[in-house]
C-alpha cells in the first residue's frame, strides 16, 4: 500500500511521544522531589544492568535543542509528560517554582517553534512522598491527584490545549502493584485492585477538573492495547483464557470510563474490585472524553494455564512462535493496529481516537555516523498503513504519534531497548538522527 500524509487529511495530528522520567534526567536538581521511579531504580536488581534514569537524556538541560530537532523533523505535535514531583516535591502542598518554570519554558519553546504541546499528566512517576502514604492503594490519591491536576491547569492551561490524564493505567497498576516488576514494586491482587480502582476514579476526575477550568481544551486519556488471540485457535480452553486476558489488557479501564462499569461478567475475579467501591463511584468512574489515546505495539497469543492464578492464562512469547519480533520480544503484527482501532471505534461513546504511541525497539548499528534502521522504518510504515486502512473504513482515528523521539530509559529494561527516531550517545549526550527519523521527516513534509 503506498500512501502519503495527504491521504490522512489536513487535520490529522502527527506527533512524537515521550515521558518525563524516561528522558529528563536532573533527578535531584532545582528542588525536584524523588518519585517512585527514582527510588525503584536505585535498587540495581530492579532494572536490567542495574541502570537508572538519574541522567537519562538530560532533556532537562537540552530541551531547547531537542525541540529544535522536532521542528527540523517536521513533527507538528510533541506529547510529553509532567513530572509530578518536579513541580510538587512532596506531591502536595508547596509548589517548586523552578519546576513550574521548567515546564513554562518547555511549553513556550514548543509554541515558538510551531510545535503543539500535548501533555500527559501522569506517566507513572508518582511522588515518593505519596507512596509513603500508600500511593495508588490509598483512596486519598483521588484528592492528591486532583490537587496536582489543578496545579498543572492553573499554571499551563492558558497555553496547553490538549491534555491526557493518565498513561496506560493497566500497565502501571498491573506491573507496579500486581507483578511488582515496575515501581513501586508491590505484588498481590488486593493492592492491584485498589490501585486500579483509584486510577479509574482519577482518570475521570482529572477529566472533570480540566473541563471545569479549561473548557476550550481537548481532554483525553491513554490506554495500552494488544490484540489477543488464542494460541490454539479452536481449543475452547484457550478461547476462554483469551477472553479473560482481553478483559485485563483491553477492557478494564475503558469500559467504566464509558459508563459501562467494570467488565466483571467476563472475569469473575474482577468482582473483588467492588470491595473498594463506595456508593457514588459507579457514576464517578465515567467521563465524556474528547478523545481516547491508544498505544499499540503488538499482538499476544494466549494459552490456558492452570498454574497461573486468577486468569488461568499465559502469554506465549513471540520468540517462541517463529514470527518476527522486536528487541522487546514483541511480535511485529501490524494488523493489531487495525483491529484495535475498529474495536474501540465500535464503542459508540468514543468520539475520536488518537494513536498516542506506536514504535519499535531494534538493536541499532552506528556506522560512519549513521544508523540505517530499515526494520524500524518498515515497522512504522506498515503500522501507519493500517491506520489509514481503518480510517478509510470510517474509523474515527485522527492522529498518530511515534514512540519515541530519542533512545531513552525504557523502565525495567533500562537503556537496552532502542525505540528512538534519534540515537543518543549516553556518554556524550550527542544526538544523531537515525534513518527512521529522516524518513518520518520526509513523510511529514510530503505535500506541504
Ligand atoms: C508504553 C509506555 C512508554 C514506553 C513504551 C515502549 O507502554 O507508555 O512509556 O515504555 O511502552
Amino acid at each position: 500500500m503506498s500512501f502519503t500524509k495527504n491521504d490522512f487529511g489536513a487535520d490529522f495530528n502527527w506527533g512524537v511521544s515521550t515521558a518525563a522520567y524516561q528522558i529528563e534526567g536532573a533527578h535531584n536538581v532545582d528542588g525536584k522531589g524523588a518519585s517512585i521511579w527514582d527510588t525503584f531504580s536505585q535498587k540495581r536488581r530492579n532494572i536490567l544492568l542495574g541502570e537508572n534514569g538519574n541522567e537519562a537524556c538530560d532533556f532537562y538541560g537540552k530541551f531547547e535543542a531537542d525541540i529544535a530537532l522536532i521542528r527540523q523533523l517536521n513533527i507538528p505535535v510533541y506529547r510529553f509528560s509532567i513530572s509530578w514531583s518536579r513541580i510538587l516535591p512532596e506531591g502536595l502542598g508547596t509548589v517548586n517554582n523552578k519546576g513550574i518554570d521548567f515546564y513554562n519554558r518547555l511549553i513556550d519553546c514548543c509554541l515558538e517553534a510551531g510545535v503543539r504541546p500535548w501533555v500527559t499528566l501522569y506517566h507513572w512517576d508518582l511522588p515518593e512522598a505519596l507512596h509513603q502514604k500508600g500511593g495508588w492503594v490509598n483512596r486519598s490519591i483521588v484528592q492528591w491527584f486532583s490537587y496536582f491536576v489543578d496545579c498543572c491547569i492553573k499554571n499551563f492551561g492558558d497555553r496547553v490545549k490538549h491534555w491526557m490524564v493518565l498513561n496506560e493505567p493497566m500497565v502501571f497498576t498491573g506491573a507496579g502493584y500486581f507483578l511488582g516488576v515496575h515501581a513501586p514494586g508491590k505484588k498481590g491482587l488486593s493492592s492491584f485492585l485498589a490501585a486500579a480502582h483509584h486510577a479509574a476514579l482519577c482518570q475521570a476526575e482529572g477529566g472533570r477538573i480540566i473541563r471545569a477550568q479549561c473548557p476550550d481544551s481537548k481532554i483525553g486519556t491513554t490506554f495500552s492495547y494488544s490484540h489477543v488471540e488464542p494460541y490454539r485457535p479452536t481449543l475452547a480452553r484457550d478461547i476462554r483464557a483469551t477472553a479473560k486476558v482481553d478483559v485485563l489488557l483491553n477492557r478494564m479501564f475503558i469500559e467504566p470510563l464509558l459508563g459501562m462499569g467494570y467488565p466483571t461478567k467476563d472475569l469473575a475475579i474482577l468482582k473483588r474490585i467492588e470491595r473498594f467501591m463506595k456508593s457514588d463511584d459507579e457514576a464517578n468512574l465515567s467521563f465524556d472524553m474528547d478523545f481516547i489515546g491508544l498505544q499499540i505495539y503488538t499482538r499476544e497469543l494466549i494459552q490456558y494455564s492452570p498454574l497461573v492464578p486468577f486468569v488461568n492464562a499465559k502469554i506465549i512469547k513471540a520468540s517462541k512462535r517463529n514470527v518476527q519480533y522486536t528487541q522487546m520480544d514483541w511480535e511485529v503484527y501490524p494488523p493489531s493496529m487495525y483491529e484495535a482501532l475498529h474495536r474501540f471505534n465500535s464503542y459508540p461513546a468514543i468520539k475520536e481516537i488518537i494513536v498516542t504511541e506506536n514504535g519499535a525497539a531494534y538493536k541499532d548499528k552506528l556506522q560512519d555516523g549513521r544508523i540505517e534502521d530499515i526494520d524500524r522504518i518498515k515497522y512504522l510504515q506498515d503500522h501507519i498503513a493500517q491506520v489509514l486502512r481503518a480510517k478509510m473504513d470510517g474509523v474515527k482515528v485522527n492522529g498518530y504519534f511515534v514512540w519515541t523521539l530519542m533512545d531513552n530509559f525504557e523502565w525495567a529494561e533500562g537503556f537496552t531497548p532502542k525505540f528512538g527516531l534519534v540515537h543518543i550517545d549516553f556518554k556524550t549526550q550527542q544526538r544523531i538522527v537515525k534513518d527512521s527519523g529522516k524518513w518520518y521527516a520526509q513523510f511529514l513534509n510530503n505535500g506541504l
Side-chain angles (χ1 to χ4, degrees), residues 29-33 60 84-90 92-103 151 155-156:
V29 168
D30 289 342
K32 177 179 171 293
Y60 189 76
W84 185 341
S85 63
R86 197 180 286 291
I87 66 169
L88 294 164
E90 296 297 314
L92 282 169
T94 317
V95 171
N96 175 28
N97 289 326
K98 289 193 172 156
I100 299 283
D101 184 53
F102 168 67
Y103 291 107
C151 176
N155 283 287
F156 314 124

Side-chain angles (χ1 to χ4, degrees), residues 42 76 153 158 176 221 223 299 339 372 392 396 409 412 443:
Q42 300 323 306
I153 301 302
D158 56 335
T221 195
F223 300 107
R299 140 176 100 161
E339 301 291 342
E372 294 183 69
M392 288 185 333
K396 295 164 279 186
F409 181 80
F443 172 74

